[in-house]
């Protein structure tokens, strides 16, 4: 286990040597301390207004630093393949449900309600871009996300099964509140793969949200999964707590 070096106190102004030494001692002491609220309350009761202002500034900076670290950790754990955002995104190709639109999507309310989204349309019209951008927005708001292509997810689950650690892998993925399955249906899935995929989707039902990107309409999911009953159950779960967003227009990749 590596030990991180102590941070260096910024030399923002000239200080007396005794003040610098005291600052360094405080920094060393902080390595082994966590805040005890009763001690803090007693110190606050005796603090002057200037000291209270300093403590508030210190705590605000600490919380901001922790929040930034959390967002960076969530982005790394999510596994996004690109840095896509909603800035400048072209919404003209999207056909949203009648009672639901861009405002609701950007608010991420569907995640708090454990609802699913199916981004359906031809290749190259911005489905993956939108899915990644929404996932990154969720991370920025402190929501754990995991991103996989359907093929990548199945390979990961198969390896875990072969190594007798499937339960641990499912538990790790299950910590996410939003699961993004990209390119669903682009390649056929064998029987074993269908069972593994169905397991993770079933575990997510009413416990987390899933975003699918696909160019296959619901009627073709049975052909992709190789099991009409399994496909019907999956569609039923998705439709029960989900919305279909249709993408239209020409592929950006051909322009």
């Amino acid at each position: 286990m590596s030990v991180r070096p102590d941070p260096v106190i910024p030399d923002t102004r000239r200080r007396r040597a005794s003040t610098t030494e005291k600052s360094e001692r405080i920094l060393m002491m902080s390595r082994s301390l966590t805040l005890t609220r009763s001690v803090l309350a007693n110190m606050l009761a005796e603090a002057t207004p200037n000291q209270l202002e300093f403590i508030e500034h210190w705590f605000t900076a600490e919380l901001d630093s922790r929040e930034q670290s959390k967002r960076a950790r969530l982005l790394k754990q999510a596994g996004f393949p690109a840095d896509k955002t909603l800035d400048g995104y072209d919404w003209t190709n999207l056909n949203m449900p009648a009672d639901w639109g861009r405002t609701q999507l950007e608010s991420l309310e569907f995640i708090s309600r454990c609802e699913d989204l199916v981004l359906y349309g031809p290749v190259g019209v911005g489905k993956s871009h939108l899915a990644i951008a929404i996932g990154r927005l969720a991370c920025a708001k402190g929501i754990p996300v995991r991103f996989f292509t359907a093929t990548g997810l199945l390979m990961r689950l198969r390896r875990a099964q072969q190594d007798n650690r499937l339960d641990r892998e499912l538990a790790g993925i299950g910590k996410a509140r939003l699961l993004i399955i990209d390119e669903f249906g682009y390649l056929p899935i064998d029987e074993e793969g269908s069972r593994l995929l169905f397991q993770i989707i079933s575990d997510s039902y009413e416990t987390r949200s899933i975003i699918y990107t696909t160019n296959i309409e619901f009627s073709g999911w049975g052909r992709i999964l190789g099991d009409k009953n399994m496909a019907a159950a999956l569609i039923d779960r998705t439709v029960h707590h989900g919305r279909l967003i249709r993408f239209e227009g020409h592929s950006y990749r051909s322009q």
Side-chain angles (χ1 to χ4, degrees):
M1 178 178 177
S2 61
V3 178
R4 291 185 300 176
D6 289 323
V8 177
I9 299 173
D11 186 13
T12 56
R13 63 180 183 272
R14 297 183 62 183
R15 284 180 147 191
R16 296 173 57 182
S18 59
T19 301
T20 300
E21 291 175 0
K22 183 175 290 186
S23 297
E24 291 174 349
R25 286 200 302 274
I26 293 172
L27 197 59
M28 288 294 294
M29 292 166 63
S30 70
R31 294 181 61 183
S32 58
L33 290 176
T34 55
L35 290 176
T36 302
R37 296 184 66 183
S38 59
V39 175
L40 176 62
N42 291 334
M43 297 301 294
L44 292 176
E46 300 176 2
T48 65
N50 285 340
Q51 289 171 335
L52 289 173
E53 184 176 353
F54 171 78
I55 292 172
E56 182 180 24
H57 179 68
W58 166 26
F59 281 18
T60 298
E62 176 67 24
L63 290 172
D64 288 345
S65 176
R66 293 185 182 188
E67 189 62 29
Q68 290 175 9
S69 296
K70 179 181 179 181
R71 289 197 294 268
R73 185 176 69 254
L74 289 176
L75 283 171
K76 183 177 180 180
Q77 291 175 345
F80 298 116
D83 297 337
K84 302 294 186 181
T85 70
L86 294 176
D87 294 339
Y89 186 75
D90 184 2
W91 297 87
T92 58
N93 286 345
L94 277 69
N95 186 358
M96 296 279 200
D99 59 342
W100 201 82
R102 176 178 173 180
T103 299
Q104 289 79 9
L105 178 62
E106 292 181 319
S107 73
L108 304 182
E109 64 177 23
F110 73 96
I111 299 178
S112 61
R113 297 179 180 179
C114 299
E115 297 173 344
D116 298 334
L117 299 179
V118 178
L119 311 186
Y120 165 71
V123 173
V125 292
K127 303 186 301 296
S128 297
H129 183 143
L130 182 59
I132 294 170
I134 291 298
R136 291 178 63 87
L137 179 61
C139 288
K141 295 187 177 182
I143 299 172
V145 180
R146 296 297 299 274
F147 177 98
F148 302 98
T149 63
T151 302
L153 176 58
L154 289 177
M155 290 177 61
R156 189 182 186 98
L157 295 176
R158 284 195 176 102
R159 284 196 302 267
Q161 187 177 52
Q162 292 169 0
D163 297 340
N164 295 318
R165 53 179 180 83
L166 180 59
D167 289 344
R168 188 163 73 248
E169 185 68 39
L170 291 172
I173 296 174
K175 293 179 181 179
R177 289 176 53 198
L178 172 62
L179 176 62
I180 300 175
I181 303 179
D182 193 31
E183 300 179 352
F184 177 77
Y186 282 33
L187 293 174
I189 303 172
D190 60 21
E191 184 177 352
E192 179 187 9
S194 296
R195 287 198 300 268
L196 289 171
L197 188 61
F198 185 77
Q199 181 175 353
I200 201 167
I201 293 172
S202 296
D203 291 344
S204 300
Y205 182 59
E206 296 187 334
T207 61
R208 70 185 56 84
S209 295
I210 299 179
I211 294 179
Y212 303 88
T213 73
T214 183
N215 61 349
I216 305 297
E217 58 187 11
F218 283 143
S219 61
W221 284 24
R223 182 178 69 257
I224 296 301
L225 293 173
D227 186 316
K228 292 183 179 180
N229 292 330
M230 191 179 298
L234 192 157
I235 294 169
D236 181 68
R237 284 165 168 75
T238 304
V239 172
H240 183 212
H241 289 299
R243 291 178 172 83
L244 175 66
I245 299 177
R246 293 180 178 272
F247 286 68
E248 301 168 346
H250 300 290
S251 171
Y252 294 111
R253 300 173 190 171
S254 62
Q255 296 178 2

